[in-house]
PDB file of all heavy atoms in Angstrom:
ATOM      1  N   GLY A  88      99.386 111.273  91.735  1.00 97.00           N
ATOM      2  CA  GLY A  88      99.759 109.926  92.125  1.00 97.00           C
ATOM      3  C   GLY A  88      98.618 108.990  91.811  1.00 97.00           C
ATOM      4  O   GLY A  88      97.482 109.435  91.576  1.00 97.00           O
ATOM      5  N   SER A  89      98.909 107.694  91.788  1.00 97.00           N
ATOM      6  CA  SER A  89      97.795 106.777  91.537  1.00 97.00           C
ATOM      7  C   SER A  89      96.846 106.781  92.725  1.00 97.00           C
ATOM      8  O   SER A  89      95.667 106.468  92.594  1.00 97.00           O
ATOM      9  CB  SER A  89      98.292 105.375  91.210  1.00 97.00           C
ATOM     10  OG  SER A  89      99.278 104.965  92.089  1.00 97.00           O
ATOM     11  N   LEU A  90      97.347 107.215  93.890  1.00 97.00           N
ATOM     12  CA  LEU A  90      96.477 107.321  95.058  1.00 97.00           C
ATOM     13  C   LEU A  90      95.394 108.368  94.871  1.00 97.00           C
ATOM     14  O   LEU A  90      94.250 108.158  95.258  1.00 97.00           O
ATOM     15  CB  LEU A  90      97.305 107.696  96.283  1.00 97.00           C
ATOM     16  CG  LEU A  90      97.789 106.541  97.134  1.00 97.00           C
ATOM     17  CD1 LEU A  90      98.660 107.070  98.256  1.00 97.00           C
ATOM     18  CD2 LEU A  90      96.600 105.775  97.684  1.00 97.00           C
ATOM     19  N   PHE A 114      97.391  97.001 100.058  1.00 97.00           N
ATOM     20  CA  PHE A 114      97.877  98.361 100.289  1.00 97.00           C
ATOM     21  C   PHE A 114      97.011  99.039 101.344  1.00 97.00           C
ATOM     22  O   PHE A 114      95.795  99.119 101.191  1.00 97.00           O
ATOM     23  CB  PHE A 114      97.825  99.128  98.980  1.00 97.00           C
ATOM     24  CG  PHE A 114      98.475 100.475  98.995  1.00 97.00           C
ATOM     25  CD1 PHE A 114      99.531 100.771  99.853  1.00 97.00           C
ATOM     26  CD2 PHE A 114      98.051 101.445  98.109  1.00 97.00           C
ATOM     27  CE1 PHE A 114     100.145 102.014  99.829  1.00 97.00           C
ATOM     28  CE2 PHE A 114      98.654 102.687  98.063  1.00 97.00           C
ATOM     29  CZ  PHE A 114      99.702 102.968  98.936  1.00 97.00           C
ATOM     30  N   TYR A 117      94.070 101.655 100.822  1.00 97.00           N
ATOM     31  CA  TYR A 117      92.734 101.377 100.266  1.00 97.00           C
ATOM     32  C   TYR A 117      91.601 101.544 101.277  1.00 97.00           C
ATOM     33  O   TYR A 117      90.641 102.259 100.995  1.00 97.00           O
ATOM     34  CB  TYR A 117      92.660  99.961  99.663  1.00 97.00           C
ATOM     35  CG  TYR A 117      93.593  99.647  98.521  1.00 97.00           C
ATOM     36  CD1 TYR A 117      94.095  98.364  98.365  1.00 97.00           C
ATOM     37  CD2 TYR A 117      93.960 100.599  97.568  1.00 97.00           C
ATOM     38  CE1 TYR A 117      94.935  98.024  97.306  1.00 97.00           C
ATOM     39  CE2 TYR A 117      94.806 100.269  96.520  1.00 97.00           C
ATOM     40  CZ  TYR A 117      95.286  98.982  96.391  1.00 97.00           C
ATOM     41  OH  TYR A 117      96.116  98.654  95.352  1.00 97.00           O
ATOM     42  N   ASN A 161     100.892  94.821  97.106  1.00 98.00           N
ATOM     43  CA  ASN A 161     101.667  95.459  98.173  1.00 98.00           C
ATOM     44  C   ASN A 161     100.949  95.101  99.477  1.00 98.00           C
ATOM     45  O   ASN A 161      99.763  95.406  99.594  1.00 98.00           O
ATOM     46  CB  ASN A 161     101.661  96.976  97.945  1.00 98.00           C
ATOM     47  CG  ASN A 161     102.359  97.740  99.053  1.00 98.00           C
ATOM     48  OD1 ASN A 161     102.929  97.164  99.959  1.00 98.00           O
ATOM     49  ND2 ASN A 161     102.297  99.055  98.975  1.00 98.00           N
ATOM     50  N   ASP A 188      95.263  97.934  90.238  1.00 98.00           N
ATOM     51  CA  ASP A 188      96.354  98.819  90.641  1.00 98.00           C
ATOM     52  C   ASP A 188      97.685  98.175  90.272  1.00 98.00           C
ATOM     53  O   ASP A 188      98.116  97.198  90.884  1.00 98.00           O
ATOM     54  CB  ASP A 188      96.264  99.069  92.152  1.00 98.00           C
ATOM     55  CG  ASP A 188      97.303 100.077  92.637  1.00 98.00           C
ATOM     56  OD1 ASP A 188      98.261 100.377  91.892  1.00 98.00           O
ATOM     57  OD2 ASP A 188      97.154 100.562  93.775  1.00 98.00           O
ATOM     58  N   ALA A 190     100.824  99.548  90.321  1.00 98.00           N
ATOM     59  CA  ALA A 190     101.891 100.464  90.720  1.00 98.00           C
ATOM     60  C   ALA A 190     103.285  99.877  90.459  1.00 98.00           C
ATOM     61  O   ALA A 190     104.249 100.616  90.280  1.00 98.00           O
ATOM     62  CB  ALA A 190     101.739 100.832  92.196  1.00 98.00           C
ATOM     63  N   TYR A 191     103.371  98.546  90.447  1.00 98.00           N
ATOM     64  CA  TYR A 191     104.690  97.895  90.302  1.00 98.00           C
ATOM     65  C   TYR A 191     104.838  97.165  88.972  1.00 98.00           C
ATOM     66  O   TYR A 191     105.708  96.309  88.831  1.00 98.00           O
ATOM     67  CB  TYR A 191     104.909  96.929  91.472  1.00 98.00           C
ATOM     68  CG  TYR A 191     104.847  97.648  92.792  1.00 98.00           C
ATOM     69  CD1 TYR A 191     103.677  97.671  93.547  1.00 98.00           C
ATOM     70  CD2 TYR A 191     105.942  98.360  93.264  1.00 98.00           C
ATOM     71  CE1 TYR A 191     103.602  98.377  94.742  1.00 98.00           C
ATOM     72  CE2 TYR A 191     105.873  99.068  94.452  1.00 98.00           C
ATOM     73  CZ  TYR A 191     104.701  99.071  95.183  1.00 98.00           C
ATOM     74  OH  TYR A 191     104.635  99.776  96.363  1.00 98.00           O
ATOM     75  N   THR A 218     101.800 104.357  88.059  1.00 98.00           N
ATOM     76  CA  THR A 218     102.397 105.508  88.735  1.00 98.00           C
ATOM     77  C   THR A 218     103.827 105.759  88.253  1.00 98.00           C
ATOM     78  O   THR A 218     104.510 104.842  87.793  1.00 98.00           O
ATOM     79  CB  THR A 218     102.399 105.280  90.263  1.00 98.00           C
ATOM     80  OG1 THR A 218     102.990 106.414  90.887  1.00 98.00           O
ATOM     81  CG2 THR A 218     103.194 104.044  90.665  1.00 98.00           C
ATOM     82  N   SER A 220     105.814 106.897  90.562  1.00 98.00           N
ATOM     83  CA  SER A 220     106.485 106.946  91.864  1.00 98.00           C
ATOM     84  C   SER A 220     107.514 105.851  92.066  1.00 98.00           C
ATOM     85  O   SER A 220     108.460 106.035  92.824  1.00 98.00           O
ATOM     86  CB  SER A 220     105.456 106.822  92.988  1.00 98.00           C
ATOM     87  OG  SER A 220     104.561 107.903  92.973  1.00 98.00           O
ATOM     88  N   LYS A 221     107.331 104.699  91.473  1.00 97.00           N
ATOM     89  CA  LYS A 221     108.162 103.550  91.819  1.00 97.00           C
ATOM     90  C   LYS A 221     109.231 103.327  90.746  1.00 97.00           C
ATOM     91  O   LYS A 221     110.349 103.805  90.882  1.00 97.00           O
ATOM     92  CB  LYS A 221     107.277 102.323  92.035  1.00 97.00           C
ATOM     93  CG  LYS A 221     106.085 102.569  92.984  1.00 97.00           C
ATOM     94  CD  LYS A 221     106.491 102.613  94.435  1.00 97.00           C
ATOM     95  CE  LYS A 221     105.482 103.214  95.398  1.00 97.00           C
ATOM     96  NZ  LYS A 221     104.141 102.716  95.433  1.00 97.00           N
ATOM     97  N   ARG A 229     104.461 113.174  92.982  1.00 98.00           N
ATOM     98  CA  ARG A 229     103.043 112.792  93.017  1.00 98.00           C
ATOM     99  C   ARG A 229     102.399 112.824  91.632  1.00 98.00           C
ATOM    100  O   ARG A 229     101.630 113.721  91.305  1.00 98.00           O
ATOM    101  CB  ARG A 229     102.244 113.699  93.988  1.00 98.00           C
ATOM    102  CG  ARG A 229     102.887 113.999  95.336  1.00 98.00           C
ATOM    103  CD  ARG A 229     103.182 112.737  96.136  1.00 98.00           C
ATOM    104  NE  ARG A 229     102.015 111.891  96.209  1.00 98.00           N
ATOM    105  CZ  ARG A 229     102.005 110.610  95.820  1.00 98.00           C
ATOM    106  NH1 ARG A 229     103.110 110.032  95.371  1.00 98.00           N
ATOM    107  NH2 ARG A 229     100.915 109.917  95.892  1.00 98.00           N
TER     108      ARG A 229
HETATM  109  C1  PLP B   1     103.085 102.971  96.152  1.00 59.93           C
HETATM  110  C2  PLP B   1     101.738 102.503  95.760  1.00 59.93           C
HETATM  111  C3  PLP B   1     100.838 103.356  95.157  1.00 59.93           C
HETATM  112  C4  PLP B   1     101.092 104.837  95.251  1.00 59.93           C
HETATM  113  O1  PLP B   1     101.294 105.431  94.167  1.00 59.93           O
HETATM  114  P1  PLP B   1     101.398 107.011  94.041  1.00 59.93           P
HETATM  115  O2  PLP B   1     101.338 107.103  92.578  1.00 59.93           O
HETATM  116  O3  PLP B   1     102.687 107.407  94.653  1.00 59.93           O
HETATM  117  O4  PLP B   1     100.199 107.604  94.700  1.00 59.93           O
HETATM  118  C5  PLP B   1      99.629 102.886  94.694  1.00 59.93           C
HETATM  119  N1  PLP B   1      99.318 101.590  94.849  1.00 59.93           N
HETATM  120  C6  PLP B   1     100.137 100.730  95.440  1.00 59.93           C
HETATM  121  C7  PLP B   1      99.730  99.319  95.586  1.00 59.93           C
HETATM  122  C8  PLP B   1     101.359 101.167  95.922  1.00 59.93           C
HETATM  123  O5  PLP B   1     102.156 100.331  96.578  1.00 59.93           O
END
Side-chain angles (χ1 to χ4, degrees):
S89 46
L90 266 177
F114 189 28
Y117 299 147
N161 176 5
D188 185 345
Y191 301 97
T218 180
S220 297
K221 310 284 164 54
R229 316 301 309 125

